[in-house]
Amino acid sequence: MDVSDLLTETYDRLPDLVRAAVDGLSPEQLRHEPGPGANSIGWLVWHLTRIQDQAVAALLDAEQVWVGGDWAGRFGLAADPDDTGFGHSPAQVAAVRPESAQALIDYYGAVSARTRPFLAGLSPADLDRVVDEGWDPPVTLGVRLVSVVEDDLQHVGQAAFVRGLLGAD
């Protein structure tokens, strides 16, 4: 298996995990916070999608999916390309209000559809390219892609856990 196949296989698992975490949940269930300061399922899935959207758009030097179309409106938010949920306060978490589970599935699907061809075209040499010199050591493309999928997997697992707390399975 080559590196682009490995990355594609890894990222291709996420749409099904996202769907399993949210499918069939009401807007109220998506916004349920299991405890004070805890993140809701809707916020967790929105956030993981925003992180991937922002990172892949930057790597492609393209506009984020989030700012095109009416994605932000489907979440009750502004189309701010800098708002990924990183560092959100409890009030900001509560402000993420997906209109439905389908809004989360659709947004992740659009981001995934953009990510897949990008991954498929990568060579091993591409992964060594420095994409962010703001860190010590500088971040390579390979490290960035691993960081994004690691964040996605953690958050979709957290969303599945919160779904279990709701007794929605």
Side-chain angles (χ1 to χ4, degrees):
M1 178 179 277
D2 71 20
V3 69
S4 67
D5 290 343
L6 178 66
L7 287 167
T8 300
E9 174 66 26
T10 304
Y11 276 82
D12 274 358
R13 293 173 184 228
L14 286 161
D16 288 340
L17 295 171
V18 164
R19 179 177 294 283
V22 304
D23 200 28
L25 297 180
S26 69
E28 294 75 24
Q29 289 172 311
L30 293 170
R31 293 190 297 266
H32 172 77
E33 296 174 4
N39 297 322
S40 66
I41 294 169
W43 184 90
L44 288 162
V45 173
W46 169 82
H47 169 67
L48 74 85
T49 308
R50 289 291 302 120
I51 293 296
Q52 185 175 331
D53 188 8
Q54 184 184 58
V56 172
L59 294 169
L60 292 170
D61 194 26
E63 182 178 75
Q64 295 173 31
V65 171
W66 179 251
V67 299
D70 187 34
W71 294 110
R74 294 181 72 184
F75 291 83
L77 299 169
D80 179 353
D82 296 322
D83 185 9
T84 63
F86 185 76
H88 266 187
S89 69
Q92 290 169 306
V93 169
V96 176
R97 302 178 62 82
E99 67 185 18
S100 65
Q102 196 61 50
L104 291 158
I105 293 166
D106 291 348
Y107 177 41
Y108 188 81
V111 171
S112 179
R114 174 187 255 186
T115 302
R116 193 171 208 284
F118 172 71
L119 297 174
L122 294 177
S123 71
D126 291 329
L127 299 180
D128 292 329
R129 179 173 55 92
V130 172
V131 296
D132 189 346
E133 294 191 18
W135 298 90
D136 186 19
V139 177
T140 63
L141 175 59
V143 168
R144 177 62 44 86
L145 291 171
V146 168
S147 177
V148 169
V149 78
E150 179 263 342
D151 186 71
D152 284 1
L153 290 168
Q154 281 193 56
H155 289 313
V156 78
Q158 292 165 348
F161 176 78
V162 175
R163 180 186 180 104
L165 293 176
L166 290 173
D169 291 331

